[in-house]
Amino acid sequence: ASSGIGASLVCALVEARAKHVILSSRRLENLEMVSKRCRMQFPESSTRLSVVPYDAMATETTEEVVLKAIQVSDGGIDILILNGGVYQSKPAIETSMAETNKITRINFQAPVELSNELIRKDRWKERGHGHLVVSASLVSKGPHALCSSYAASKAALKNYFQTLSTEEFSWLKVQTVIIGATKTNLWQNLNYSVHPPDESVLMDPDRVAHLVVRAMTCQFWWFFYEIWTTKNIGWMYLVVSNYAPSLFYLANHLIGVARQISFQRNHSDALDLKTIIADLAGLLWS
């Protein structure tokens, strides 16, 4: 919750007058800044804000963090939003196992570990209710070039929690957010240089947060079992990947060639059609 979509979600929940929001991330100073900004943005809101630091890489602290959050909640936690993640923008064979392990840990293992610990310690099943909101990714449904480990981790995340939903649906709500490319620090947080996509194809994090909170609070929440938040090109990508797999195979491989050309030329993470078409045209005419 210290930046990007997570920070926007905090403010959206404050605007919606949620009773109590607990922010969690490894960057304590950023959490305090987000808390302050949301209070200033919505001074009339009665939402209580608390901070409980959590480092997804520190496996030994998960139980302690969960117990602290339950204690701070003063009555139990009703909703857990799993929004952490690290990105990848390089070819699969250039990605080390150390990088893949880190991506898998933060994007898949840590959310599973945290949710299971909370479900047990806060006695969700015994209480008869609980609500998980899981941030997956567009590439969890249709992976493309330069994100092999990232796509795999997000697909595992989506499939794990959607499976959990089928097992515990009598008391557990699970909503999965399929998020398209968004204006966040995912690219800047990489430990190698990558040019982010053109801003024209990026969602605004406040818009994403607004859509997620609306879906979370909808009376017919099951209608938003899977929440798609992406721009038009992302919608087209999702529709084709789901309903026209043969066409998707052809299109995705052409897009993959274009994205690798952009990456090799100037380490760009190209997602806009103009760049992709231009790269493919350049390849055909060369």
Side-chain angles (χ1 to χ4, degrees), residues 202-214:
L202 300 180
M203 286 284 288
D204 181 81
D206 290 343
R207 174 62 175 164
V208 173
H210 177 71
L211 292 171
V212 171
V213 170
R214 284 188 63 185

Side-chain angles (χ1 to χ4, degrees), residues 93-107:
I93 60 174
E94 294 180 21
T95 303
S96 69
M97 280 309 302
E99 290 173 310
T100 294
N101 289 338
K102 179 180 179 181
I103 290 168
T104 304
R105 169 62 199 169
I106 293 175
N107 293 2

Side-chain angles (χ1 to χ4, degrees), residues 239-274:
V239 169
V240 173
S241 69
N242 277 268
Y243 301 112
S246 296
L247 177 60
F248 177 75
Y249 176 88
L250 174 62
N252 205 29
H253 281 70
L254 290 173
I255 292 170
V257 170
R259 280 174 52 76
Q260 289 190 81
I261 290 171
S262 288
F263 182 80
Q264 290 165 5
R265 182 176 61 245
N266 60 0
H267 281 210
S268 290
D269 191 14
L271 293 175
D272 60 292
L273 280 178
K274 181 180 178 181

Side-chain angles (χ1 to χ4, degrees), residues 180-185 187-188 195-205 231-233 269-273 275:
T182 304
K183 296 176 189 176
T184 68
N185 292 328
W187 294 272
Q188 289 79 4
H195 294 291
D198 188 278
E199 286 202 357
S200 64
V201 300
L202 300 180
M203 286 284 288
D204 181 81
K231 289 208 167 181
N232 290 340
I233 187 172
D269 191 14
L271 293 175
D272 60 292
L273 280 178
T275 301

Side-chain angles (χ1 to χ4, degrees), residues 5 40 44 50-51 75 90 143 155 171 177 196 209 241:
I5 296 170
M40 292 178 62
E44 296 178 359
S50 302
V51 169
K90 61 164 65 173
W171 60 270
V177 190
S241 69

Side-chain angles (χ1 to χ4, degrees), residues 70-83:
I70 294 171
Q71 180 184 19
V72 168
S73 72
D74 192 25
I77 294 169
D78 297 310
I79 303 173
L80 174 63
I81 302 176
L82 298 163
N83 186 62

